[in-house]
Amino acid sequence: MITAKTLKLSIKSLREFARKRLPDQELIALDERDECPLEIVRDMCSPDQLGIQLLFVPEEYGGFGGGAFDVYVVCEEMARIDLGVATAVLATFLGSDPLTVGATPEQKKQWLSRIANEGILFAYGATEPDAGSDLGALQTTADRVVEDGKTVGYRINGSKQWISNGGIADAYTVLANTPSGPSWFVVERGAAGFSQGKPENKHGIRLSNTAALSFTDVVVNADRLIGGVEGQGLLQAQAVFGYTRLMVAAFGLGAGWSALDRAIPYSAKRIQAGGPLSEKQGYTHKLIVPNVARLEAGRAFIEETAQRIDAGEGSLNTEGAIAKYMSTEAGNAAAEASIQALGGYGYTHEYLVEKISRDVRITCIYEGTSEIMEMTISRDRWQLHLKTRGQHYHDRARAFEALHASQPRVGADVAALALHALAEVMERARVAKLTRHQHILLRLGEWIAYAESAGALARRAALLEQRKLPDKANQRFDAMGLAAISRIFAREAALRVADEGMRWILGAAAERAAAPDVAAFEAAVNLRAIRQAQAGLMADMDFVADVLYGRAAKPAAHVA
Ligand SMILES: Cc1cc2nc3c(=O)[nH]c(=O)nc-3n(C[C@H](O)[C@H](O)[C@H](O)COP(=O)(O)OP(=O)(O)OC[C@H]3O[C@@H](n4cnc5c(N)ncnc54)[C@H](O)[C@@H]3O)c2cc1C
């Protein structure tokens, strides 16, 4: 267990370390040289130096036993420093996850203790040249080596693609097909027949090492089969998806905020047309404030999911997918807008926002692409819609109506409008059998993520109002600020669900005559109320801009 105080101290040490060892000029130089700073990565992981690894290794193996919330806080901070270095450091946790969930006690002791005591680096080898999103297409094989009728080892053949730490790790968890199905193995660097490719020349995260792996008759002992039972690999991979996707979600959040935190002070100083850019509404309300709202919606979902995982609610894969989808898409949009916010300067290496934008791009690809997240979210929630005969999101909406009755400032009423509209859009998709169109299935994933995130953000703003957020929670905004951010996001989410939902349900009709009645559809999704709820948006955006720029506080308008 890590206390809020210990976590704060760790973050402080991490910042100190980064200030000394990874100042901006060094980051720019490493990025230009396309170089992974191996010594820095090792020092960050070494128990004698920074020892980030220790935070996440269970206490019985020599670590501090951090949970999902701690991982989120550290990942966000790491991403604010550099997403390539963050990837290199956190690859060890990704790599050791199959061990954490599936290993025998002896295997855990052997490998997790080495991470804690020696700071060894791991890599996670799942992806292959022809098996990316579809891991079932895996071709790497692990054939049994049998002596006297007993399996004494495995012979691994095949290749892995795009492996973070691929060229620098000490140990690798590798997914391979045994006679009984996909299974994880630990393979050490230096094993005969195991080789690593040259570092990939990447668009971003150039401070992380990414390499292909090749296995030619690599023989490992039977005790390298994680868990000792064949065929558990995909289950073990899935058991940590909620958790690992939260890590990448926090990467998106940290990188997005680090770009905005360069754009915000820049715009306060940059004078154009007689005044600072920060005072120009056309600038802040396009480039800054909407990105803040989307990032904080992602944060609300991350924090809520992390708390639930730590409370033992299971692996929460769908929630992890929503957190990842929202935060990484928001992080990308924020970094892209930050280039625009710095104009020509943003387009140069020196100001770093273009590097952050290149770096954060990966978060929508690795640990499951955004499209795979949409599919995961949609399939799961579709089942809930069917099981409850269309009531799932209506029920959830009613909980937000009740929240609104007690806390009218946090945007819960508009989140409820988004959720009711979602239920109606899903029901129309069901009646017309529209999920046969994969595009509709995936768009549903997006609308679900927006509506649920609006709910999470309203709940978070309500908790902050009541001073009930956990000690470890991010405290950047006060209750008034977060409530305004929540109202801004809820309006966007509701409009997106209703407008885009209608667009695609109508768009699936072959011709106008076959399309659903538009007026009835508008009434069902309550489009009128959703449009009316946009009132107050400008005042809330003005207020959030004032909060971000530290200007005199004015009372925020709200949609009570
Ligand atoms: C820098 C970097 C680091 C990485 N690190 C690791 C690592 O440490 N370990 C590891 O195992 N892997 C790692 N990966 C691999 C990463 O997880 C995969 O690239 C990712 O899962 C996507 O697989 P793919 O590249 O084969 O793309 P594909 O699966 O071929 O997807 C290509 C496009 O098609 C879309 N698509 C795919 N399937 C469908 C579908 N059914 N319906 C609709 N659209 C679909 C995708 O969303 C994507 O837009 C890394 C990748 C990179 C680039």
mmCIF file of all heavy atoms in Angstrom, residues 107-122:
data_model
loop_
_atom_site.group_PDB
_atom_site.id
_atom_site.type_symbol
_atom_site.label_atom_id
_atom_site.label_comp_id
_atom_site.label_asym_id
_atom_site.label_seq_id
_atom_site.Cartn_x
_atom_site.Cartn_y
_atom_site.Cartn_z
ATOM 1 N N GLN A 107 7.604 -18.590 -9.674
ATOM 2 C CA GLN A 107 7.952 -17.704 -10.798
ATOM 3 C C GLN A 107 7.850 -16.238 -10.380
ATOM 4 O O GLN A 107 8.699 -15.421 -10.730
ATOM 5 C CB GLN A 107 7.008 -17.968 -11.979
ATOM 6 C CG GLN A 107 7.276 -19.288 -12.687
ATOM 7 C CD GLN A 107 6.192 -19.600 -13.708
ATOM 8 O OE1 GLN A 107 5.039 -19.210 -13.552
ATOM 9 N NE2 GLN A 107 6.576 -20.328 -14.762
ATOM 10 N N LYS A 108 6.805 -15.926 -9.617
ATOM 11 C CA LYS A 108 6.654 -14.526 -9.169
ATOM 12 C C LYS A 108 7.861 -14.119 -8.334
ATOM 13 O O LYS A 108 8.414 -13.040 -8.513
ATOM 14 C CB LYS A 108 5.380 -14.375 -8.326
ATOM 15 C CG LYS A 108 4.133 -14.328 -9.160
ATOM 16 C CD LYS A 108 2.936 -13.989 -8.304
ATOM 17 C CE LYS A 108 1.684 -14.178 -9.128
ATOM 18 N NZ LYS A 108 0.459 -14.012 -8.404
ATOM 19 N N LYS A 109 8.240 -15.033 -7.423
ATOM 20 C CA LYS A 109 9.360 -14.709 -6.539
ATOM 21 C C LYS A 109 10.614 -14.473 -7.369
ATOM 22 O O LYS A 109 11.333 -13.494 -7.173
ATOM 23 C CB LYS A 109 9.580 -15.871 -5.555
ATOM 24 C CG LYS A 109 10.539 -15.564 -4.453
ATOM 25 C CD LYS A 109 10.338 -16.566 -3.319
ATOM 26 C CE LYS A 109 11.137 -16.236 -2.094
ATOM 27 N NZ LYS A 109 12.533 -16.177 -2.213
ATOM 28 N N GLN A 110 10.846 -15.364 -8.327
ATOM 29 C CA GLN A 110 12.060 -15.267 -9.133
ATOM 30 C C GLN A 110 12.123 -13.953 -9.924
ATOM 31 O O GLN A 110 13.105 -13.227 -9.861
ATOM 32 C CB GLN A 110 12.125 -16.450 -10.107
ATOM 33 C CG GLN A 110 13.368 -16.401 -10.985
ATOM 34 C CD GLN A 110 13.413 -17.567 -11.967
ATOM 35 O OE1 GLN A 110 12.475 -18.366 -12.070
ATOM 36 N NE2 GLN A 110 14.510 -17.666 -12.693
ATOM 37 N N TRP A 111 11.027 -13.633 -10.639
ATOM 38 C CA TRP A 111 11.107 -12.517 -11.574
ATOM 39 C C TRP A 111 10.745 -11.180 -10.944
ATOM 40 O O TRP A 111 11.410 -10.170 -11.188
ATOM 41 C CB TRP A 111 10.241 -12.811 -12.805
ATOM 42 C CG TRP A 111 10.774 -13.992 -13.560
ATOM 43 C CD1 TRP A 111 10.230 -15.238 -13.597
ATOM 44 C CD2 TRP A 111 11.980 -14.051 -14.330
ATOM 45 N NE1 TRP A 111 11.020 -16.083 -14.364
ATOM 46 C CE2 TRP A 111 12.092 -15.368 -14.824
ATOM 47 C CE3 TRP A 111 12.970 -13.119 -14.655
ATOM 48 C CZ2 TRP A 111 13.164 -15.778 -15.621
ATOM 49 C CZ3 TRP A 111 14.029 -13.522 -15.456
ATOM 50 C CH2 TRP A 111 14.114 -14.836 -15.922
ATOM 51 N N LEU A 112 9.690 -11.154 -10.141
ATOM 52 C CA LEU A 112 9.285 -9.857 -9.560
ATOM 53 C C LEU A 112 10.328 -9.375 -8.563
ATOM 54 O O LEU A 112 10.608 -8.172 -8.469
ATOM 55 C CB LEU A 112 7.891 -9.957 -8.923
ATOM 56 C CG LEU A 112 6.763 -10.339 -9.904
ATOM 57 C CD1 LEU A 112 5.411 -10.419 -9.196
ATOM 58 C CD2 LEU A 112 6.684 -9.353 -11.072
ATOM 59 N N SER A 113 10.969 -10.320 -7.838
ATOM 60 C CA SER A 113 12.028 -9.907 -6.912
ATOM 61 C C SER A 113 13.213 -9.324 -7.681
ATOM 62 O O SER A 113 13.844 -8.367 -7.229
ATOM 63 C CB SER A 113 12.545 -11.088 -6.094
ATOM 64 O OG SER A 113 11.493 -11.702 -5.444
ATOM 65 N N ARG A 114 13.473 -9.886 -8.849
ATOM 66 C CA ARG A 114 14.602 -9.347 -9.631
ATOM 67 C C ARG A 114 14.298 -7.931 -10.129
ATOM 68 O O ARG A 114 15.185 -7.092 -10.219
ATOM 69 C CB ARG A 114 14.947 -10.274 -10.802
ATOM 70 C CG ARG A 114 15.658 -11.552 -10.341
ATOM 71 C CD ARG A 114 16.238 -12.314 -11.508
ATOM 72 N NE ARG A 114 17.260 -11.563 -12.207
ATOM 73 C CZ ARG A 114 17.751 -11.909 -13.410
ATOM 74 N NH1 ARG A 114 17.310 -13.017 -14.002
ATOM 75 N NH2 ARG A 114 18.673 -11.190 -13.989
ATOM 76 N N ILE A 115 13.039 -7.692 -10.458
ATOM 77 C CA ILE A 115 12.664 -6.325 -10.882
ATOM 78 C C ILE A 115 12.898 -5.363 -9.709
ATOM 79 O O ILE A 115 13.485 -4.285 -9.874
ATOM 80 C CB ILE A 115 11.188 -6.270 -11.342
ATOM 81 C CG1 ILE A 115 11.003 -7.076 -12.632
ATOM 82 C CG2 ILE A 115 10.740 -4.822 -11.556
ATOM 83 C CD1 ILE A 115 9.560 -7.202 -13.087
ATOM 84 N N ALA A 116 12.455 -5.783 -8.518
ATOM 85 C CA ALA A 116 12.587 -4.901 -7.349
ATOM 86 C C ALA A 116 14.047 -4.746 -6.926
ATOM 87 O O ALA A 116 14.515 -3.632 -6.673
ATOM 88 C CB ALA A 116 11.760 -5.445 -6.184
ATOM 89 N N ASN A 117 14.786 -5.852 -6.872
ATOM 90 C CA ASN A 117 16.130 -5.796 -6.283
ATOM 91 C C ASN A 117 17.219 -5.407 -7.271
ATOM 92 O O ASN A 117 18.209 -4.798 -6.904
ATOM 93 C CB ASN A 117 16.500 -7.151 -5.674
ATOM 94 C CG ASN A 117 15.492 -7.551 -4.620
ATOM 95 O OD1 ASN A 117 14.885 -6.687 -4.000
ATOM 96 N ND2 ASN A 117 15.290 -8.850 -4.431
ATOM 97 N N GLU A 118 17.044 -5.811 -8.538
ATOM 98 C CA GLU A 118 18.104 -5.534 -9.510
ATOM 99 C C GLU A 118 17.713 -4.475 -10.529
ATOM 100 O O GLU A 118 18.545 -4.030 -11.313
ATOM 101 C CB GLU A 118 18.452 -6.833 -10.284
ATOM 102 C CG GLU A 118 18.966 -7.966 -9.415
ATOM 103 C CD GLU A 118 19.009 -9.278 -10.206
ATOM 104 O OE1 GLU A 118 19.265 -9.253 -11.427
ATOM 105 O OE2 GLU A 118 18.759 -10.334 -9.587
ATOM 106 N N GLY A 119 16.416 -4.129 -10.555
ATOM 107 C CA GLY A 119 15.954 -3.144 -11.549
ATOM 108 C C GLY A 119 16.045 -3.662 -12.970
ATOM 109 O O GLY A 119 16.277 -2.883 -13.902
ATOM 110 N N ILE A 120 15.856 -4.973 -13.166
ATOM 111 C CA ILE A 120 15.961 -5.495 -14.543
ATOM 112 C C ILE A 120 14.803 -4.952 -15.385
ATOM 113 O O ILE A 120 13.721 -4.675 -14.870
ATOM 114 C CB ILE A 120 15.977 -7.054 -14.618
ATOM 115 C CG1 ILE A 120 14.691 -7.669 -14.042
ATOM 116 C CG2 ILE A 120 17.211 -7.621 -13.954
ATOM 117 C CD1 ILE A 120 14.555 -9.156 -14.366
ATOM 118 N N LEU A 121 15.076 -4.793 -16.678
ATOM 119 C CA LEU A 121 14.059 -4.279 -17.605
ATOM 120 C C LEU A 121 13.372 -5.441 -18.314
ATOM 121 O O LEU A 121 14.035 -6.395 -18.740
ATOM 122 C CB LEU A 121 14.683 -3.374 -18.661
ATOM 123 C CG LEU A 121 15.436 -2.142 -18.178
ATOM 124 C CD1 LEU A 121 15.941 -1.347 -19.377
ATOM 125 C CD2 LEU A 121 14.529 -1.254 -17.322
ATOM 126 N N PHE A 122 12.072 -5.331 -18.440
ATOM 127 C CA PHE A 122 11.298 -6.325 -19.169
ATOM 128 C C PHE A 122 10.781 -5.725 -20.478
ATOM 129 O O PHE A 122 10.684 -4.502 -20.621
ATOM 130 C CB PHE A 122 10.073 -6.762 -18.342
ATOM 131 C CG PHE A 122 10.241 -8.079 -17.654
ATOM 132 C CD1 PHE A 122 10.877 -8.154 -16.424
ATOM 133 C CD2 PHE A 122 9.756 -9.259 -18.219
ATOM 134 C CE1 PHE A 122 11.024 -9.368 -15.770
ATOM 135 C CE2 PHE A 122 9.893 -10.472 -17.580
ATOM 136 C CZ PHE A 122 10.534 -10.540 -16.347
#
